[in-house]
Amino acid sequence: MATAEDIRTVLVVDFGAQYAQLIARRVRECRVYSEIVPHDITLEELRAKKPAALILSGGPASVYAEGAPKMDPRIYELGIPILGLCYGMQLMAIDLGGAVPKTDIGEYGFAQLTVADGGSALFEDLPAGQQVWMSHRDSVGTVPAGFAVLASTPTTAIAAMADADRRLWATQFHPEVAHTPHGLDMLKHFLYDIADIPPTWTMVNIIDETVEAVRAQVGDAKVICGLSGGVDSSVVAALLHRAIGEKLTCVFVDHGMLRLDEADDVVRVFRDQFHVELVHVQAQERYLSLLVGVTDPEVKRRIIGEEFWKVFFEEAERLEGVRFLAQGTLYPDVIESGSKTAAKIKSHHNLIPFPEGVHFELIEPLRRLFKDEVRAVGAELGLPDHIVHRQPFPGPGLAVRIIGEITAERLDILRRADAIVREEIGRWDEHREVWQYFAVLPAIRSVGVMGDERTYAHPIIIRAVSSADAMTADWARLPHELLAHMSNRIINEVEGVNRVAYDITSKPPGTIEWE
Ligand code: XMP
C-alpha cells in the first residue's frame, strides 16, 4: 500500500481555462493525484511541490495578447515530464524557440486527427485516424528545435508535437474532454508510460493519508464539527471519527426546517451506527419564534444562518478543551482559476463569524477533494447510500421552499407532501438521472371541491430537474402516470392541500429552488 510519501503529484498549471479542473479530475480518474497551481507559480514554489509531471492547461488568451499568462520558462529545464494542451502547447512552442503565426483560422469543435507514421508513446495502440476536440484560434507553425510533429488535422498541420528525449509533449486538441474519445488513453500514456507514474492513488490511500494527517495535526486536542446531514459534513464527521474517535464531538443543530425523518436519520447513523459523540440541539422552537411574520426570503436566510452560528457556538463553549473546528471545504472552493490573487479572494468567502474572544483553528480534511471523490470516500467509510448520494439541499432547508411565512403547520404540510414526492420519484427506475426533486409550498390558496365540500386550500408544486452542475437545468420529463400518482397521493394524504402543479420552467430563466 502506498504511504503519504509515495503519493506522486501531477500539477496542472492553470492558464485561465475552464478546463483546468477537468484536467485535474481526469488525472485523478487515472488514479494519479493531481493539483491545480496558478501559472505565476515561482520556480522555487513549484520545485518545493516535487511534481512528478506537469500539465499546462488551455486558456482563453492568445499567446500574443497583452498580459497573456506566462510561466517561468526555467521550469522546462527541470527535467520534469510536461504535457502542454492547447494554449499550453503554443506557449511551450514559443518559449522553446518555435513559432505560432497569427493565421486567424481557428478550429472549434470536432476534428479528424491523423497520427504521423510511426506513431509515438502518446498515441500507442490508438487508431491512426481518430476524432478529437479542438477549440483554438492560433496554432503552432514551427516546432522548436528537437521537437517532432506527431499528428495533424485538415486545418491544423501541427496538432501534436514532442521532444521525447526531454519528455516535453503537447497537443493542440483537448484530450481531457469527453468529445475526444481516446483522450483518457492519451493521458494514461503520458502519466504511466512517459512520466512513469504508477496508478496508485485510490480512495483507500486518501483515507489513510488524511487520517494520518489529521492525527498529526490534532494531537491530544479536541475537535468540534457541525453536522447537517449533508454529504460534505457527514464525510468530514465519519473521516474525523475514524482518525480521532472520541476526541471528535459533532454538533447537529436541528433548526426544524429539515425533511421528514431527516433529523432522526442523522442521529441514527452517527450516534447509533458510527458511535460518534453527538450533541443534538433541538432548536426548532427557537427558530420558529424568530421567523414569525417573516416573508422576505433574504431575511429568512439571514436569520437562519446567523442563528445557526449562535446556537453552534453556545454548544461549543459548553465543551471543554476544543481547539479545532472541522469544516467540509472542498477543492473547488479552494482553487480559483488564473492567479494567486483570485485564490486569496476565494478563501475569504469562508469566514466563520467567531464570537468575541472565541477562536478555533480550522481543520479541513476534504480540501483536496472533488465532490465525486468525497462521495467515494463516504461510501468507503461505510456511510449509507442515501447520505452519500443525497441531493443538494439548501442550508436553510425547507425555509427556502415555503413561500411566505414559515409556521409549524405550513412546515408540516410541505414536509408530508415532499416525502411523497421523494418516495414516488425515488421508486422510479430512472430517478438517478434526475438531479433534484422536491415539493414547494407557495403562498396562495385556491378553491376546490372534495366530496361534497368546497375547499379553499393550499396547492403543492412539484419541482424535478435534470442538470449537470446546477448552473443550468431543465425540468425533468417525468412519466405522466408518475405525476398523476403523486398528485393523487398528496391530495389524499396531506390535509390542507387541494391542488398539485408541476413546474415546467428551465434554468435559466427560472432557478431550481423557489423562494
Ligand atoms: P438555484 O435555486 O439558484 O440553486 O438554481 C442552485 C443549486 O443550489 C442549491 N441551493 C443551495 N445550496 N445552500 C446550499 O447549500 C443554499 O442556501 C442554497 N440555495 C440553493 C439548490 O438546491 C440547487 O441545487
Side-chain angles (χ1 to χ4, degrees):
M1 189 188 67
T3 65
E5 287 76 50
D6 297 328
I7 303 269
R8 300 181 65 199
T9 303
V10 171
L11 295 181
V12 177
V13 182
D14 186 353
F15 290 97
Q18 68 219 23
Y19 297 118
Q21 279 198 35
L22 186 59
I23 298 169
R25 287 176 57 178
R26 286 279 180 268
V27 172
R28 291 182 184 197
E29 271 172 41
C30 301
R31 301 213 281 142
V32 172
Y33 181 64
S34 177
E35 274 182 19
I36 298 168
V37 294
H39 63 87
D40 50 357
I41 187 166
T42 66
L43 186 71
E44 292 69 34
E45 287 167 337
L46 185 118
R47 252 205 197 119
K49 287 180 174 285
K50 299 200 177 85
L54 302 182
I55 299 181
L56 314 184
S57 85
S62 156
V63 271
Y64 294 114
E66 189 151 344
K70 300 271 185 251
M71 182 183 81
D72 187 330
R74 291 173 299 173
I75 290 173
Y76 298 106
E77 310 304 326
L78 294 175
I80 302 168
I82 302 181
L83 176 64
L85 305 180
C86 195
Y87 181 91
M89 167 166 172
Q90 296 166 20
L91 192 69
M92 184 188 280
I94 290 186
D95 283 346
L96 299 176
V100 178
K102 282 187 190 151
T103 58
D104 266 346
I105 304 172
E107 195 178 18
Y108 299 92
F110 290 113
Q112 186 61 26
L113 187 80
T114 305
V115 178
D117 278 352
S120 68
L122 198 64
F123 299 107
E124 194 164 323
D125 297 331
L126 302 181
Q130 55 174 291
Q131 183 184 291
V132 295
W133 183 258
M134 289 283 196
S135 177
H136 65 102
R137 176 156 303 280
D138 305 332
S139 58
V140 175
T142 314
V143 298
F147 275 73
V149 177
L150 307 180
S152 60
T153 71
T155 328
T156 306
I158 306 176
M161 64 176 194
D163 180 339
D165 292 341
R166 292 161 75 193
R167 300 204 287 178
L168 301 175
W169 297 70
T171 69
Q172 182 55 65
F173 57 87
H174 292 272
E176 74 277 22
V177 303
H179 298 309
T180 301
H182 292 290
L184 201 61
D185 296 322
M186 296 172 204
L187 285 179
K188 285 180 179 168
H189 282 318
F190 174 70
L191 297 168
Y192 306 159
D193 307 331
I194 295 169
D196 208 14
I197 308 170
T200 51
W201 196 69
T202 63
M203 291 305 132
V204 177
N205 292 145
I206 301 175
I207 294 172
D208 290 345
E209 198 200 343
T210 312
V211 162
E212 221 175 277
V214 168
R215 283 183 186 150
Q217 187 183 358
V218 170
D220 285 332
K222 287 189 186 161
V223 180
I224 189 170
C225 169
L227 191 58
S228 69
V231 183
D232 305 343
S233 69
S234 297
V235 175
V236 168
L239 198 51
L240 286 182
H241 184 253
R242 159 117 18 138
I244 56 169
E246 289 169 5
K247 282 181 275 185
L248 170 73
T249 302
C250 290
V251 175
F252 169 43
V253 178
D254 186 349
H255 53 30
M257 314 290 153
L258 297 174
R259 292 167 291 189
L260 193 71
D261 296 333
E262 207 162 23
D264 290 345
D265 187 58
V266 170
V267 174
R268 199 165 41 237
V269 170
F270 287 94
R271 189 177 282 161
D272 304 345
Q273 181 190 333
F274 278 86
H275 307 293
V276 164
E277 208 59 52
L278 180 72
V279 180
H280 179 187
V281 190
Q282 309 264 8
Q284 298 94 318
E285 297 298 325
R286 183 167 164 172
Y287 274 88
L288 275 181
S289 60
L290 283 170
L291 290 165
V292 171
V294 179
T295 54
D296 183 311
E298 284 309 313
V299 180
K300 283 183 195 169
R301 276 178 180 274
R302 202 191 63 232
I303 292 174
I304 293 172
E306 286 175 0
E307 197 58 16
F308 170 82
W309 288 111
K310 267 193 215 151
V311 177
F312 183 83
F313 284 116
E314 279 170 24
E315 292 305 319
E317 281 174 49
R318 261 192 257 281
L319 303 166
E320 284 186 8
V322 177
R323 196 172 124 204
F324 295 95
L325 185 145
Q327 226 200 347
T329 314
L330 305 193
Y331 195 44
D333 305 326
V334 177
I335 37 172
E336 188 63 274
S337 57
S339 71
K340 294 175 189 168
T341 358
K344 265 186 214 131
I345 293 166
K346 183 80 187 188
S347 67
H348 287 241
H349 284 189
N350 259 331
L351 285 186
I352 296 173
F354 289 117
E356 276 286 302
V358 175
H359 188 77
F360 295 107
E361 288 168 54
L362 281 188
I363 188 160
E364 299 176 309
L366 310 181
R367 40 179 304 119
R368 300 199 305 171
L369 305 185
F370 289 108
K371 190 82 178 191
D372 44 354
E373 295 169 333
V374 171
R375 293 189 209 276
V377 166
E380 185 70 39
L381 289 167
L383 282 173
D385 209 47
H386 67 270
I387 291 188
V388 168
H389 292 288
R390 201 172 89 134
Q391 295 175 19
F393 185 59
L398 297 183
V400 303
R401 296 176 183 170
I402 291 185
I403 316 304
E405 193 183 2
I406 297 166
T407 63
E409 186 217 346
R410 302 190 77 211
L411 269 167
D412 184 55
I413 290 175
L414 178 59
R415 205 175 268 133
R416 291 195 291 137
D418 181 70
I420 293 171
V421 170
R422 288 190 301 129
E423 184 186 330
E424 291 299 334
I425 299 183
R427 275 196 200 139
W428 179 45
D429 288 346
E430 292 169 47
H431 74 273
R432 282 270 161 103
E433 308 298 317
V434 185
W435 169 267
Q436 246 175 309
Y437 45 90
F438 53 86
V440 175
L441 180 65
I444 48 170
R445 286 199 283 172
S446 72
V447 172
V449 54
M450 283 168 99
D452 292 333
E453 305 234 348
R454 211 176 107 95
T455 56
Y456 186 58
H458 301 285
I460 280 289
I461 293 155
I462 299 175
R463 182 75 165 139
V465 296
S466 56
S467 176
D469 53 11
M471 301 299 285
T472 61
D474 196 8
W475 57 280
R477 286 1 183 217
L478 300 182
H480 288 174
E481 303 71 41
L482 175 57
L483 288 167
H485 188 54
M486 286 192 285
S487 168
N488 278 340
R489 275 198 66 191
I490 292 170
I491 289 170
N492 289 337
E493 297 174 32
V494 186
E495 208 182 320
V497 176
N498 67 348
R499 208 177 274 273
V500 174
Y502 186 46
D503 181 354
I504 50 169
T505 319
S506 60
K507 172 182 180 176
T511 49
I512 294 176
E513 302 287 348
W514 280 53
E515 285 193 65

